[in-house]
Amino acid sequence: MTKLLAMSGSLRAVSMNKSVLEACSQLVPAGVSVSLYAGLAGLPPFNPDLDGDNPPKKIVALRKQVGAADGLIISCPEYAHGIPGSFKNMLDWLVSCIEFPGKPVLLINTSPHSERITPLLMEVLMTMSAHVVTSASLTLPLKGKKLDADGIAKSAEFGAPLRAGLASFVDGINAV
């Protein structure tokens, strides 16, 4: 079983980023599971002084989930031409952990107008030694659409390319 951890950069209760990640669980190939990381809002602010032998419990839990995953799916909005602070905070907590380097990452952008988020995330993730699978990463023009996860998954316009991107990502993980 290939295990993927989906991480939304949005804290909104109803978010297109979260919906597209939920749709992923319906579209992955057989033998693949997707779990959604739900702890973003509760993470403490990054503090290198706390990142020693006994980091905060929520950080230990985050790192454990990342370590247990064969790959990460990230869908993150762009705020003020940048990475949302809460999501960047989470990434900062992962910088020095042993679970993250080499981790395959699939990036999904839900708004073609958010032109900066993918290059910004790629810069940070590559600095963190992630393996961003650019051939599988995609932008879906979901902004302004009134679709939930089921609607995205069942849509020929969005479900088909998402399914193809996920299959390519999983193939890349399994080829390693």
Side-chain angles (χ1 to χ4, degrees):
M1 175 68 78
T2 301
K3 297 177 185 175
L4 303 178
L5 180 62
M7 306 175 106
S8 173
S10 177
L11 294 176
R12 290 180 161 208
V14 178
S15 150
M16 196 54 70
N17 294 282
K18 183 179 175 186
S19 293
V20 78
L21 294 173
E22 290 170 342
C24 288
S25 65
Q26 299 177 42
L27 298 170
V28 289
V32 178
S33 68
V34 177
S35 60
L36 186 64
Y37 177 70
L40 183 64
L43 296 178
F46 177 69
N47 180 342
D49 291 338
L50 300 177
D51 196 16
D53 293 336
N54 295 307
K57 289 180 183 179
K58 290 181 180 185
I59 302 309
V60 172
L62 165 66
R63 290 173 175 173
K64 185 175 180 180
Q65 284 184 274
V66 168
D70 297 302
L72 306 175
I73 307 170
I74 294 175
S75 184
C76 185
E78 178 181 307
Y79 290 148
H81 291 184
I83 300 170
S86 56
F87 198 76
K88 179 61 169 73
N89 179 60
M90 180 192 70
L91 293 175
D92 288 343
W93 278 112
L94 294 173
V95 166
S96 65
C97 73
I98 61 170
E99 296 85 357
F100 194 85
K103 190 66 66 174
V105 177
L106 167 64
L107 295 175
I108 302 172
N109 182 349
T110 62
S111 175
H113 301 292
S114 298
E115 298 171 351
R116 292 168 184 83
I117 193 63
T118 299
L120 288 169
L121 284 170
M122 286 182 64
E123 174 68 23
V124 171
L125 293 167
M126 289 192 200
T127 299
M128 295 170 62
S129 299
H131 173 64
V132 179
V133 182
T134 56
S135 61
S137 296
L138 62 156
T139 297
L140 299 173
L142 290 165
K143 185 175 181 180
K145 307 287 189 223
K146 302 288 185 195
L147 295 173
D148 61 6
D150 289 336
I152 294 168
K154 293 175 182 170
S155 164
E157 181 181 2
F158 306 119
L162 188 54
R163 182 185 309 274
L166 288 162
S168 176
F169 182 55
V170 171
D171 287 346
I173 291 171
N174 292 333
V176 176

